[in-house]
Amino acid sequence: MAEKSFNKPTPYTLRVDDQLLNVTKQKLRLARFPEEQSDTGDDDWSQGAKVKVVKRLAEYWADGFDWRAVEAGINADFNQFLVKVDIPGYGPQTLHYAHQLSSRPDAIPLLFVQGWPGSFLEARKIIEPLTNPSDPTTQAFHVVVPSIPGFGPGEAPTKSGFGPMLTARGFNTLMVNVLGYQKYVTQGGDWGSMITRSMALQFPTHVRACHHNFFPCGPPPWYKAPFTMGRLILSPYLYTNRELDSLKNMQYYRKEQDGYMRVQSTRPQSLGFGLGDSPIGLLGWLVEKFHEWMDVANYTMPDDEILTFVMMHWMQGATPGLRYYKMAFAEQGDFNIKASFSRYLDTPIGLSHFPKEIAMPPYDWVAWVANVQFRREHDRGGHFAAVECPELLVQDLRDWFSSEAVRRAMQG
């Protein structure tokens, strides 16, 4: 590939190498599966991914899944580009992104950032209604969806240190210096929440309002917020049912589900030898997350959608997505993930709370560090809101970003 010039986008078409596709099928057909224990129920996921589910998906991946058709659909649905940017504190990095312009003159630039184990494909169901709403009075957006480097197409970072704080700098460079959006709004879940919050802290003149469906903050210090701490101590009596459920979700996650994070944030490369070489290993690792973090009572992820999401990490050999955790927790400075959620941010914030989300704490925790101007609770949905219930997320984004608070912020 010819040397890229800084800040000069080039069109990109997704094309996975034939050899990788052929080797993947060979590996799938040679896979060895674990055995379920006899007293483990069919719907018991407490030991991890179910063998029958992974086996069924693996057989379909090997002999039924039409990647080339899926690939063509992705290329038809997304206007994709590559661009090399110079990231302060890191250096050159090529970014992959999708950019969908609205025909509406009043459209607001919106940056959508995904998390792990997702990819830019999380925005697939929301781009069209956001850019081209059927009602001319509904707020429209120019939607920009970058890939976190290493999460799907594009180039993974080749040297250490690239976590959310530096990702935030790269994405702001994309919005301001490459695309020319001097003022814009953001939406983020999972890593996207952390990246976009860091963006708002580092670049408040550009990031004018944020929306989150994931907000991993803890309670404020008791000596600074005694009433909030008192509510927590007396939560069985003072919390709403939604707050109690949210607290249970967070406690269950910490007790039963965060083992992956401990491994990925300490020894991701060791894990990468297995998950980057075995499609079965990666499939099992990710399927369990989709099942546990989605509202499976209200959304069933189709097999093609599961395998397409898995392919985004398989094409990179899995390790870059795993390594991002170590880079994130190693970052130092005022805008790293810990600092970002322990200080107050004046940028107007909107929140959408989906009942199966793993990190949406009680409102008085969030209000301690965020200027919350919009919040809405939903009766269905989980961690992957844009995938599970896109119509709800789209409506929240329209309502929040068309509000008077955001209009004032964009004019400021």
Side-chain angles (χ1 to χ4, degrees):
M1 180 181 294
E3 181 67 20
K4 302 183 189 72
S5 299
F6 284 107
N7 298 347
K8 300 294 184 183
T10 57
Y12 174 81
T13 300
L14 176 61
R15 175 77 183 183
V16 175
D17 184 71
D18 283 330
Q19 183 178 4
L20 176 60
L21 297 179
N22 292 333
V23 169
T24 300
K25 290 181 180 293
Q26 294 173 20
K27 288 175 177 287
L28 288 165
R29 293 177 181 128
L30 294 172
R32 182 172 64 173
F33 294 88
E35 295 291 334
E36 295 271 12
Q37 293 184 311
S38 60
D39 58 346
T40 302
D42 283 349
D43 296 320
D44 182 354
W45 288 67
S46 63
Q47 294 193 34
K50 299 299 292 182
V51 173
K52 66 176 183 179
V53 173
V54 176
K55 186 176 290 188
R56 173 179 59 76
L57 286 165
E59 291 172 352
Y60 176 58
W61 193 356
D63 297 312
F65 182 54
D66 187 349
W67 169 252
R68 289 302 180 209
V70 170
E71 190 177 62
I74 293 170
N75 288 326
D77 289 346
F78 291 94
N79 298 319
Q80 301 172 75
F81 303 87
L82 296 178
V83 65
K84 184 169 74 171
V85 297
D86 189 20
I87 300 176
Y90 187 77
Q93 175 64 46
T94 297
L95 302 178
H96 165 269
Y97 68 98
H99 187 199
Q100 189 72 27
L101 289 167
S102 174
S103 61
R104 292 266 297 277
D106 63 340
I108 298 174
L110 167 64
L111 178 77
F112 176 97
V113 186
Q114 87 287 346
W116 184 93
S119 68
F120 81 107
L121 296 180
E122 287 186 49
R124 192 172 194 175
K125 300 173 185 177
I126 67 173
I127 282 187
E128 182 60 25
L130 288 174
T131 54
N132 296 301
S134 56
D135 185 344
T137 66
T138 298
Q139 181 62 57
F141 301 87
H142 303 307
V143 181
V144 182
V145 188
S147 293
I148 299 173
F151 289 47
E155 300 176 9
T158 58
K159 60 181 182 179
S160 63
F162 197 89
M165 186 171 65
L166 291 179
T167 307
R169 295 175 188 171
F171 288 176
N172 184 69
T173 299
L174 170 66
M175 293 297 285
V176 175
N177 301 99
V178 177
L179 300 178
Y181 295 130
Q182 297 302 313
K183 295 179 181 179
Y184 58 92
V185 300
T186 67
Q187 199 288 322
D190 197 86
W191 284 124
S193 178
M194 304 177 203
I195 291 166
T196 56
R197 185 168 171 86
S198 183
M199 293 177 75
L201 286 164
Q202 294 186 70
F203 311 105
T205 59
H206 298 302
V207 180
R208 306 307 296 163
C210 303
H211 181 272
H212 302 276
N213 56 291
F214 174 92
F215 205 90
C217 74
W222 68 267
Y223 55 88
K224 292 185 178 180
F227 179 75
T228 299
M229 185 55 63
R231 285 191 75 240
L232 175 59
I233 293 171
L234 297 174
S235 58
Y237 310 101
L238 298 180
Y239 273 15
T240 65
N241 289 335
R242 175 57 69 92
E243 287 177 318
L244 289 171
D245 288 344
S246 296
L247 203 60
K248 290 177 183 177
N249 287 349
M250 292 190 294
Q251 291 168 342
Y252 178 73
Y253 171 80
R254 293 188 182 117
K255 179 182 177 182
E256 292 286 342
Q257 296 182 337
D258 73 348
Y260 78 96
M261 183 170 62
R262 297 179 186 275
V263 178
Q264 292 175 194
S265 63
T266 54
R267 295 296 184 270
Q269 193 158 292
S270 295
L271 184 61
F273 283 107
L275 302 191
D277 183 65
S278 168
I280 293 294
L282 183 62
L283 179 61
W285 196 251
L286 301 192
V287 162
E288 185 256 335
K289 306 301 181 289
F290 296 140
H291 180 273
E292 291 292 286
W293 297 349
M294 283 189 174
D295 181 5
V296 294
N298 288 296
Y299 182 77
T300 300
M301 202 175 188
D303 290 354
D304 276 15
E305 189 171 58
I306 293 172
L307 295 177
T308 302
F309 274 48
V310 173
M311 276 292 297
M312 292 297 102
H313 291 274
W314 177 245
M315 64 190 285
Q316 287 279 5
T319 306
L322 310 177
R323 186 180 283 131
Y324 196 77
Y325 282 76
K326 187 171 182 66
M327 300 303 104
F329 288 101
E331 280 188 323
Q332 301 296 317
D334 293 338
F335 307 111
N336 67 6
I337 56 175
K338 183 176 180 180
S340 293
F341 283 91
S342 59
R343 58 192 289 189
Y344 187 79
L345 173 62
D346 193 50
T347 303
I349 298 293
L351 298 175
S352 293
H353 188 181
F354 298 92
K356 296 301 181 180
E357 178 54 74
I358 59 177
M360 184 58 74
Y363 172 67
D364 53 358
W365 299 15
V366 178
W368 184 254
V369 293
N371 178 18
V372 180
Q373 298 289 318
F374 170 95
R375 57 187 177 123
R376 182 171 289 160
E377 296 179 352
H378 296 283
D379 59 5
R380 59 186 173 90
H383 189 62
F384 302 91
V387 176
E388 301 173 61
C389 43
E391 73 287 356
L392 298 181
L393 182 62
V394 165
Q395 191 60 53
D396 286 0
L397 295 177
R398 289 170 174 169
D399 291 346
W400 164 228
F401 289 130
S402 64
S403 70
E404 185 59 30
V406 175
R407 290 186 191 279
R408 290 196 304 267
M410 291 295 289
Q411 293 169 358

